[in-house]
Amino acid sequence: MTATVVERVGRTSVHASVQDDAALCVTALGAELTAYVAGATTVAEFESWLAAERGPDWQVRRRLAAAAELVNIFESANQSALAPAWLREMDPTGYVPARVLRISSADAISVKALLEAAEIWTLTPAGA
């Protein structure tokens, strides 16, 4: 899963997949949270990156791909509505997943840690 996220942004024809990842994230997370995890200052800035002929830079593409994978984890667990809250929630060690994704270059280690944390969270019964 992690390799897929990191590898798929290395292709030359990624514009369509970037648009798909962005659309999925905006639908599931909202425009503001999606723009935030992508690294944009505003929704307008984020939208301008997507509208540009070249599309966003590789770090933004990786962050969007990782965010889309996170959304898929929550969808697979039938907990789609909880993805935005999880991204904003501080974990026991003091990290906020959305911030971790935003400040990372969505490298394999960061993505793997976030995906594993999301999977564990979705599998943990409430109140456990």
Side-chain angles (χ1 to χ4, degrees):
M1 185 172 3
T2 304
T4 304
V5 171
V6 174
E7 289 171 6
R8 78 178 178 179
V9 298
R11 294 188 224 142
T12 55
S13 58
V14 296
H15 197 67
S17 66
V18 170
Q19 296 293 336
D20 293 344
D21 289 342
L24 173 65
C25 292
V26 168
T27 299
L29 306 174
E32 288 183 8
L33 184 54
T34 300
Y36 178 80
V37 298
T41 305
T42 64
V43 172
E45 179 183 28
F46 172 69
E47 290 171 346
S48 74
W49 293 346
L50 295 175
E53 189 172 322
R54 282 188 48 228
D57 69 28
W58 65 272
Q59 287 181 322
V60 173
R61 293 193 308 258
R62 279 191 176 178
R63 288 184 197 118
L64 287 172
E69 288 297 325
L70 288 167
V71 167
N72 288 330
I73 288 171
F74 280 85
E75 286 179 351
S76 295
N78 200 24
Q79 298 181 23
S80 300
L82 298 178
W86 180 82
L87 277 165
R88 290 183 178 111
E89 181 179 289
M90 186 178 299
D91 75 5
T93 60
Y95 292 101
V96 177
R99 177 139 175 80
V100 170
L101 186 54
R102 178 185 174 94
I103 64 174
S104 76
S105 60
D107 58 280
I109 294 169
S110 299
V111 170
K112 182 178 180 186
L114 286 169
L115 296 177
E116 287 177 354
E119 283 187 31
I120 291 167
W121 194 89
T122 60
L123 296 173
T124 304

